[in-house]
Amino acid sequence: MKRVSILGSTGSIGTQALEVAKMHGMQVTALAAHSRAELLAQQAKEFHPSCVCIFDESKKELLTELLSGEKIEILSGMEGLCKIAASREADIVLNSVVGMVGLLPTLTAIEAGTDVALANKETLVAGGSLVMRAAAEKGVNIFPVDSEHSAIFQCLQGNSMNPVRKIILTASGGPFFGKTTEQLTQVRAADALKHPNWDMGNKITIDSATLMNKGLEFIEAKWLFDLKPSQIEIVVHRQSVLHSAVEFEDYAVIGQMGVPDMKIPIQYALLYPERKACPTRPLSLTEYGTLTFEQPDYETFGCLRAAIDAITEGGLRPCIVNAANEEAVAWFLRDEIGFLQIGELVRAAMESVRGGDVTCYEDVLEADKAARAYVRSRILNK
Ligand code: MN
C-alpha cells in the first residue's frame, strides 16, 4: 500500500482523503494544515504521521501543546510545507492547499522525485509550464484530483497511442446559472456560498459561483493534458453526473460518470491504477432521469472569459488572473466588494498588470504580487 502525505489535511479534500486512506489502510506519513490546530492534532493522534505542519505560525504553540507526549515532529510555515514535500517518506504527496501558496510545495515534491496528487489548481494556473516541465524532467506523475480532470485522465486510460480531438469540460453552472447581470448586482457572500451539488471550501465555492473555477480548470486541463485552448469545450451540465469527456479522432466520445462525490477522484489519484471499493454511493441514472447540457454564459460571467483569454495569450497572464481573483474573492468574502466586481477586477488586472514570459518561479511570484497590489489599490482608491 502506498504511503501518503497530505498538505491541506483539514480542508474538504484533505478530510475526505483521510477517509479514503483509512478505508484502505494507507500509511499517512505527514499532515499539514493552514490554521485549524485542533483538528490537525486530532488527525495526527488517529493517523500517527511522523510529522505535522501548521502553516499559520501563530498556531504552532497551541499545536505543540495539543500534541505534547506524542512522538511527532512539529513544523510550521512555508518551510514546514516544503520540508514535508521534500521528504522521501511518502510515495505520493496530496497537495490540497488553497491558492498560489501551493506552487512551491508542488515544485519541491517534484524535485524530490515524489508523485503528486494535485488538488491545488492554482498551482497549474500560475506556474503550469514550470510544473509540467519539472515533472517531465524528473519522471514524476501528476495525478489530477479535480473531478473533471480525473474524469479526463480516466477516459484517457488505454488510449495513450490515440490522438485527442478535444475534451468536453463539464461545469455545474454554479448557484447563479441563468441569472442576469442585473440580478447579480445584489449578491452577497452568504448567497454565493450555497452550492447546489458540491460541498467545498469557501474560496472554490465563490469561484464556482463566478465560473472562475471553470476558467481555472480550463487552464489546468491545458497543462495536464497538453492541449491547445481551441481543444477545450466547456459545457454546462447542471446535474454534475458526467464529470467530463474526451472526443477522439474517430468522434467517439468517452466520458466518466458517477455521483458528485470527491472521494471517487481522490481515491483514483491515491490508488492509481487500482480501483477498489470507495466510501461513497453508487450512481442511479434512473434517479436522475434526465441529464442536460447547455452553453455557458460568457457575457454575465466575465471571470470565465478572462481566464480563457489569459491562457490564450499565455505567459504570466494566467498567473495575473489567478492572483487578481484570489485577492478579489478575499474582499468579497468579507462583503467589502460586490459579486460582479470580482470579474471586473480580474479583467482590469489582466489588461493592466505587466505580463511577460514565465522563466522561473520568481517571475510567477512577482506577477502574483503585482496583480494583488493592483486589485487592492483599485478597491481602496475607489
Ligand atoms: Mn472541478
Side-chain angles (χ1 to χ4, degrees):
M1 194 41 81
K2 285 188 214 172
R3 298 162 301 171
V4 61
S5 63
I6 302 178
L7 309 179
S9 68
T10 57
S12 170
I13 298 290
T15 51
Q16 295 182 80
L18 282 171
E19 239 184 281
V20 168
K22 187 176 176 177
M23 179 156 175
H24 300 291
M26 292 180 86
Q27 190 188 330
V28 177
T29 60
L31 294 170
H34 183 268
S35 52
R36 292 161 77 180
E38 282 90 358
L39 181 53
L40 178 59
Q42 197 185 312
Q43 292 175 338
K45 284 178 182 169
E46 183 177 354
F47 289 92
H48 308 288
S50 60
C51 73
V52 294
C53 170
I54 189 95
F55 188 73
D56 181 348
E57 311 262 1
S58 73
K59 297 286 176 72
K60 191 178 181 185
E61 212 181 299
L62 171 62
L63 183 65
T64 307
E65 208 173 287
L66 290 166
L67 290 176
S68 65
E70 303 281 334
K71 271 212 204 98
I72 299 174
E73 188 185 357
I74 297 169
L75 307 168
S76 64
M78 181 58 89
E79 204 185 323
L81 279 183
C82 288
K83 194 169 172 195
I84 290 175
S87 161
R88 286 163 202 263
E89 255 192 324
D91 301 302
I92 187 163
V93 177
L94 168 62
N95 186 350
S96 53
V97 309
V98 180
M100 235 293 277
V101 158
L103 181 56
L104 197 54
T106 295
L107 291 170
T108 306
I110 293 170
E111 193 54 42
T114 308
D115 286 345
V116 179
L118 195 61
N120 173 240
K121 64 190 79 188
E122 294 91 343
T123 292
L124 282 176
V125 172
S129 60
L130 299 177
V131 170
M132 296 317 285
R133 196 193 312 144
E137 272 170 21
K138 289 280 172 179
V140 161
N141 294 303
I142 308 276
F143 297 115
V145 172
D146 211 340
S147 62
E148 296 79 359
H149 305 77
S150 173
I152 293 159
F153 182 61
Q154 292 179 57
C155 296
L156 291 171
Q157 297 305 306
N159 277 306
S160 59
M161 305 305 291
N162 295 313
V164 168
R165 187 176 283 275
K166 69 170 191 196
I167 63 163
I168 297 165
L169 193 68
T170 52
S172 75
F176 305 132
F177 178 72
K179 294 263 190 292
T180 60
T181 306
E182 175 83 326
Q183 289 169 308
L184 292 176
T185 48
Q186 298 305 323
V187 165
R188 310 302 281 174
D191 310 311
L193 286 172
K194 294 177 209 136
H195 193 278
N197 301 341
W198 299 97
D199 183 14
M200 306 172 290
N202 282 354
K203 199 261 176 180
I204 183 171
T205 304
I206 301 305
D207 286 347
S208 295
T210 60
L211 293 201
M212 176 51 101
N213 184 53
K214 211 48 56 180
L216 299 178
E217 291 182 354
F218 185 104
I219 299 170
E220 193 185 5
K222 181 251 174 309
W223 290 115
L224 280 172
F225 306 112
D226 192 22
L227 300 165
K228 292 198 257 315
S230 60
Q231 287 176 288
I232 306 171
E233 181 188 2
I234 297 174
V235 172
V236 175
H237 166 49
R238 299 291 286 155
Q239 299 80 20
S240 299
V241 167
L242 175 68
H243 297 304
S244 279
V246 177
E247 181 185 278
F248 291 94
E249 204 55 30
D250 57 358
Y251 294 113
V253 176
I254 299 184
Q256 186 258 324
M257 297 199 281
V259 290
D261 184 336
M262 285 307 294
K263 287 193 281 294
I264 301 173
I266 291 168
Q267 176 169 304
Y268 194 70
L270 294 183
L271 300 190
Y272 179 84
E274 286 189 277
R275 291 192 185 272
K276 292 187 171 175
C278 182
T280 183
R281 54 194 197 287
L283 170 66
S284 163
L285 281 174
T286 51
E287 210 173 279
Y288 282 93
T290 309
L291 300 181
T292 57
F293 301 95
E294 294 159 85
Q295 292 279 3
D297 175 356
Y298 293 100
E299 284 295 308
T300 310
F301 298 91
C303 283
L304 178 57
R305 178 59 74 196
I308 295 172
D309 288 349
I311 189 63
T312 305
E313 203 173 309
L316 287 162
R317 289 281 157 230
C319 168
I320 291 164
V321 159
N322 176 67
N325 180 61
E326 281 191 31
E327 188 66 31
V329 168
W331 288 78
F332 174 71
L333 280 169
R334 296 191 299 261
D335 278 329
E336 288 174 299
I337 61 169
F339 183 76
L340 292 170
Q341 266 183 285
I342 301 173
E344 289 161 15
L345 288 162
V346 166
R347 169 61 64 180
M350 194 188 90
E351 286 169 358
S352 309
V353 178
R354 203 166 65 89
D357 290 333
V358 182
T359 54
C360 60
Y361 175 69
E362 284 67 31
D363 293 341
V364 174
L365 260 195
E366 222 169 275
D368 178 89
K369 256 203 210 150
R372 286 168 200 269
Y374 175 84
V375 168
R376 272 194 301 272
S377 75
R378 281 284 296 245
I379 296 170
L380 295 170
N381 296 326
K382 222 172 165 200

